[in-house]
């Protein structure tokens, strides 16, 4: 998702006349390295709903999947599909796609130089990090509702809504009968943050929508705080309340003090 920041250095791959996207051998190998590394750390750390979604998707290990392959599973399970987008898109496009149950996926993969971290979401982050959770009805419904709210929100309301997305869809944790588990795609696509999020280092707090809406974040550091759901049904419940009333409440109260230092000027 873009908010008018500097243009991407990546160029999304275009499909051919049959809708097939060609990738290089190096790009397929990057996917292989990324997925093999992450599959070693998510068992026992990701929530069961995510792991079940991974089983349903049955992602290839040796090549980048075609979006149609992923969409077929998502559509069958929850009515979602992947939408091919350029490397960066505007808020309007982002919210509109989500409201239509279309998950935006940029069809490029990171370079080896940015193997461990890149600031914009690539196809590995979007497919491996997020699409498995979109097989879950509560998560899928919440993501669509978020798109609908964002589509009709003011710029300031959108800034607050972005924090809700960050602390749920991207960096959410939840309690399970087996202990603390991860459901956020920003964590699940990063080996470093997968280990860090469940360690003793970060703060964790019970999820409250207004608290999440008021919490500042930085995209280029591991999170100093995570919000923890009791279960994924909480996300379904968020679709059934007046969430914009919570946004207005958060706006009236203002932001919490950041739990991180300001970003140094480049």
């Amino acid at each position: 998702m873009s908010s008018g920041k500097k243009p991407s250095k990546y160029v999304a791959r275009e499909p051919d006349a049959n809708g097939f996207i060609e990738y290089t051998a190096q790009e397929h190998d990057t996917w292989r390295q990324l997925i093999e590394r992450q599959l070693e750390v998510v068992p026992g750390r990701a929530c069961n709903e995510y792991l079940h979604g991974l089983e349903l998707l049955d992602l290839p290990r040796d090549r980048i999947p075609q979006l149609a392959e992923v969409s077929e599973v998502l559509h069958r399970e929850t009515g979602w599909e992947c939408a091919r987008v350029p490397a960066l898109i505007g808020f309007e496009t982002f919210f509109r796609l989500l409201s239509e149950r279309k998950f935006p996926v940029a069809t490029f993969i990171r370079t080896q130089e940015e193997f461990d971290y890149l600031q914009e979401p690539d196809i590995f982050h979007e497919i491996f990090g997020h699409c498995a959770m979109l097989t879950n009805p509560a998560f899928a419904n919440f993501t669509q509702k978020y798109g609908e709210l964002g589509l009709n929100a003011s710029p300031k309301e959108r800034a607050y809504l972005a924090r809700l997305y960050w602390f749920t869809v991207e960096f959410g944790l939840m309690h399970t009968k087996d202990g603390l588990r991860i459901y956020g795609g920003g964590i699940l696509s990063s080996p470093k943050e997968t280990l860090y999020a469940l360690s003793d280092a970060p703060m964790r707090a019970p999820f409250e929508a207004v608290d999440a809406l008021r919490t500042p974040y930085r995209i280029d550091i591991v999170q100093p705080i995570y919000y923890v759901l009791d279960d994924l049904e909480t996300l379904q419940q968020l679709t059934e309340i007046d969430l914009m009333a919570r946004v207005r409440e958060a706006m009236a109260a203002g932001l919490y003090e950041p739990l991180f230092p300001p970003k140094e000027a480049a």
Side-chain angles (χ1 to χ4, degrees):
M1 181 173 67
S2 170
S3 56
K5 295 177 181 175
K6 64 182 180 180
S8 171
K9 70 176 185 179
Y10 289 99
V11 177
R13 296 279 181 177
E14 298 281 339
D16 64 18
N18 298 315
F20 186 85
I21 298 176
E22 194 79 48
Y23 295 96
T24 67
Q26 175 60 66
E27 288 169 328
H28 285 308
D29 193 55
T30 297
W31 171 275
R32 179 191 61 76
Q33 293 175 61
L34 287 166
I35 196 169
E36 286 182 355
R37 180 175 71 167
Q38 202 57 12
L39 286 172
E40 290 182 5
V41 296
V42 295
R45 297 183 176 93
C47 66
N48 286 336
E49 291 87 347
Y50 173 84
L51 296 173
H52 177 62
L54 269 189
E55 286 183 22
L56 292 172
L57 291 177
D58 192 22
L59 297 172
R61 305 287 192 270
D62 59 344
R63 62 175 176 85
I64 300 171
Q66 295 293 312
L67 298 192
E69 297 174 276
V70 180
S71 291
E72 182 180 0
V73 177
L74 295 183
H75 196 268
R76 183 189 73 216
E77 296 297 322
T78 57
W80 275 76
E81 63 184 79
C82 296
R84 182 181 61 84
V85 298
L88 290 173
I89 58 174
F91 283 125
E92 290 289 333
T93 303
F94 178 72
F95 289 123
R96 177 179 55 77
L97 287 171
L98 294 186
S99 73
E100 296 170 351
R101 292 179 99 85
K102 296 175 181 176
F103 195 72
V105 179
T107 49
F108 73 89
I109 196 160
R110 69 195 69 181
T111 62
Q112 286 291 314
E113 291 74 31
E114 294 188 297
F115 188 80
D116 290 321
Y117 173 77
L118 74 167
Q119 290 196 20
E120 54 193 286
D122 69 347
I123 194 167
F124 179 76
H125 169 87
E126 302 291 32
I127 297 293
F128 188 87
H130 289 300
C131 285
M133 285 303 301
L134 283 170
T135 65
N136 176 267
F139 185 92
N141 292 342
F142 171 72
T143 307
Q144 179 187 22
K145 181 69 171 183
Y146 178 84
E148 292 172 354
L149 294 176
L151 205 53
N152 298 303
S154 69
K156 186 172 182 182
E157 288 169 338
R158 286 177 175 179
Y160 275 79
L161 280 171
R163 298 183 189 100
L164 180 65
Y165 191 88
W166 187 261
F167 288 110
T168 53
V169 174
E170 291 290 357
F171 290 93
L173 301 178
M174 69 181 206
H175 295 294
T176 76
K177 60 180 175 53
D178 301 313
L180 202 60
R181 292 292 185 269
I182 303 163
Y183 73 92
I187 309 175
L188 290 167
S189 58
S190 163
K192 179 180 179 181
E193 194 131 7
T194 298
L195 299 177
Y196 170 86
L198 299 182
S199 74
D200 294 332
M203 296 171 58
R204 287 185 282 267
F207 175 83
E208 293 290 345
V210 174
D211 287 337
L213 289 159
R214 295 179 62 196
T215 302
Y217 64 85
R218 267 178 56 180
I219 68 170
D220 59 337
I221 58 174
V222 290
Q223 305 309 301
I225 185 170
Y226 299 93
Y227 287 103
V228 187
L229 298 180
D230 286 333
D231 51 49
L232 285 180
E233 186 59 29
T234 303
L235 295 182
Q236 178 64 41
Q237 292 165 6
L238 288 176
T239 71
E240 298 162 3
I241 65 172
D242 185 355
L243 253 181
M244 292 312 295
R246 305 295 199 279
V247 171
R248 291 187 291 272
E249 182 182 340
M251 289 169 64
L255 295 180
Y256 291 128
E257 284 295 314
L259 296 170
F260 49 80
K263 190 172 182 179
E264 294 181 8

